[in-house]
Structure formats: C-alpha cells, structure tokens
Amino acid sequence: MRTELIFLALLGFASSLPLASDQNDSVLMIKESLETAEVGSRIGLVEGIVLAILEVLRNLMKNGSENFPVLDPIVVDRIHVNESTLNMPNSYITIDDLTISDISTFEMEEINFSMASLLLQRYKLDFNLVIPVVNVNTSGYDLSLRIFGGDVYGKGDMTLQIIKPRVHGYFVIGFRTNEGGIFIVLHECKIKIGLDSFEPVITGMFNNQASSDFVSAFLRNLVKEMLEFFEEEISYIVSVAVLIIGNLVLYDFDLASLLPFV
C-alpha cells in the first residue's frame, strides 16, 4: 500500500482538516493535531506516522535514493582480513561476492502505542518485527587461522539462511518542530534480537566434506546459543547504537514530506 493511503486510512480525524497550501501549513496541522487531539486520536496519528516511515524505509532499502544506498540486497565484492587485523600470525580470511538479501521483507507482527508522558508529549512504541528469512550467499571463501597452536583452514563455498530473525523491544519517541518541518526524536529504546534458526552450509573445511558438515552443525548450534547466553549484553550494545544512529538518521527526516496533502 502506498504511504499516502496508509495516512488516509489511519488519520481519519486529520482528513477533515482543510488542505494545506504549503509545507509550513502542513507542519502546523500535524503539530496542532498532536497537541489538541484526544489521547486516543493522538496515538492513532503517531501510529500512522511510524507505519508510514516503515513503508518509506522498505522502499528505500529496495530502491535506494540519491542519499540512501540500496540495502536489499547488500553486495560486497570482496572481504579480506589478514594477520594484522586478526592479531593472529600467518592467518587470513577472504570472502568473495558476499550478498545479503531479503532484509526488506520484514513484517511488523505486533505494534502497540501508549502515552508515555502527556506533559512531555512522548509516546511508547512496543514492537515485534520479524523477517521471514535472510539469505546470505558467496561465490567462495578461503581461510587459514592459527588458533591455540592448531591450524583451521578451508576453501570452498558458503551459504547461510537466517530463519526468522526477530527484533523486539520498545522506543520512547517525541517530536520537535521548527519553521521548516516536524521531526521524530528517540528518547529511549531497548532492543532485543533473536532468531528461530541459523542454517549454514559450508564446503571445503579441512578439504573434507565430513569436516565441513561438522563445522556447519557446530555453528548452527553455537550462534543461537550465544545469542541467548549474551542476550543482555547484546541488547545493551544494540540499544545504544540504535539510539545514537537512529537520532542521526531521523534528524533531517521531515515528516511533513510524507503527507499526501503536502
């Protein structure tokens, strides 16, 4: 559904307002709606804004723009790290033609809005976002590592499916306005990450298929267990990063530009 239709469906009370003649009028209408509407209608307005932003983000991920690179798929021609980066003598890892796809197929399984502070005009967004599957492919890998006095080596193919990676948690958001627009501000967030399964398929480990199957099975269990074991530590790091980066991204993202009557 186009972003304009999402707004028209969700902002029922706003549809009765007169059409704005310029962007400043649109900004004033949104600002006045947020300040004067009943709490339930105000939450509906915020919900519409967030859902519209998600659809804009999905489109940008697939198609990019002048200032936003295509992120689905992400394509990296070559990754090479050597002993100086790994801090391991006589070691390296090379991955060719890395492609990560289907990130933009995310689905919002649950989204709930509530008023966090009526006085400060802040809203809490609880969410549960899932991606059906993320596919990772390469044309090949080559590695040699010296670990604990032993050698780990391999050269072959590597593919990976991340089944139902899940991001859930909450944001506390507010708005700032100026003469040029209206913008979202992230005040708090807590993000947790999980997944249903991690499915690597690797060939060429130790030049032996049985060894490759063992490594694939080992990683399949290890990654999920590590996500669960270090859940709080990972959540803290991701939450801080999202709060900082999210505010940087949203700083110049004018909500008024999304409205059909701009």
Side-chain angles (χ1 to χ4, degrees):
M1 180 183 294
R2 293 173 60 225
T3 300
E4 293 88 344
L5 295 180
I6 294 174
F7 268 97
L8 288 174
L10 293 174
L11 309 184
F13 73 94
S15 64
S16 62
L17 297 172
L19 298 183
S21 59
D22 56 35
Q23 183 165 339
N24 286 337
D25 289 339
S26 297
V27 171
L28 288 174
M29 289 200 309
I30 303 172
K31 186 175 185 295
E32 289 172 0
S33 296
L34 287 169
E35 292 175 347
T36 62
E38 295 294 332
V39 171
S41 297
R42 196 180 305 149
I43 290 172
L45 173 59
V46 176
E47 181 177 351
I49 289 171
V50 173
L51 290 174
I53 289 174
L54 286 175
E55 291 306 311
V56 170
L57 177 61
R58 190 194 306 276
N59 182 66
L60 284 173
M61 292 175 73
K62 291 189 291 186
N63 301 308
S65 70
E66 182 178 349
N67 300 313
F68 195 93
V70 172
L71 296 179
D72 189 9
I74 298 172
V75 179
V76 181
D77 293 336
R78 184 179 177 86
I79 298 173
H80 179 77
V81 291
N82 56 27
E83 58 185 39
S84 61
T85 304
L86 296 169
N87 199 26
M88 298 177 185
N90 303 316
S91 298
Y92 65 87
I93 301 174
T94 301
I95 299 174
D96 292 315
D97 300 319
L98 175 69
T99 303
I100 305 172
S101 57
D102 301 315
I103 301 174
S104 66
T105 61
F106 62 81
E107 301 170 358
M108 190 65 76
E109 287 193 335
E110 181 181 1
I111 184 168
N112 294 309
F113 290 85
S114 58
M115 180 66 73
S117 173
L118 182 60
L119 179 63
L120 297 175
Q121 290 290 295
R122 292 181 182 177
Y123 306 84
K124 185 180 181 186
L125 162 63
D126 294 279
F127 69 95
N128 187 358
L129 183 148
V130 64
I131 303 174
V133 60
V134 175
N135 290 290
V136 182
N137 295 283
T138 71
S139 64
Y141 77 94
D142 186 6
L143 69 83
S144 179
L145 303 173
R146 177 63 63 89
I147 303 177
F148 302 124
D151 292 322
V152 177
Y153 58 91
K155 185 175 183 179
D157 297 324
M158 179 173 60
T159 62
L160 167 65
Q161 282 193 322
I162 306 172
I163 309 298
K164 287 192 174 180
R166 189 177 305 278
V167 182
H168 60 98
Y170 71 85
F171 290 98
V172 174
I173 67 174
F175 297 90
R176 64 178 176 86
T177 59
N178 57 38
E179 293 181 357
I182 181 167
F183 307 88
I184 284 182
V185 178
L186 303 180
H187 294 285
E188 299 177 32
C189 76
K190 179 149 189 188
I191 309 294
K192 292 189 176 182
I193 297 174
L195 52 83
D196 278 11
S197 64
F198 185 84
E199 304 292 339
V201 178
I202 302 173
T203 66
M205 285 299 301
F206 300 104
N207 300 324
N208 182 279
Q209 187 55 46
S211 297
S212 299
D213 293 341
F214 173 80
V215 171
S216 297
F218 176 76
L219 291 174
R220 185 177 302 122
N221 296 314
L222 177 66
V223 169
K224 187 174 182 180
E225 289 179 3
M226 288 188 68
L227 280 175
E228 293 172 355
F229 186 80
F230 293 106
E231 180 180 28
E232 289 304 317
E233 291 83 356
I234 294 171
S235 174
Y236 175 77
I237 293 170
V238 172
S239 298
V240 171
V242 168
L243 191 63
I244 295 171
I245 297 171
N247 276 318
L248 288 173
V249 171
L250 292 170
Y251 188 81
D252 292 319
F253 191 88
D254 184 7
L255 299 178
S257 66
L258 299 177
L259 291 175
F261 41 75
V262 170

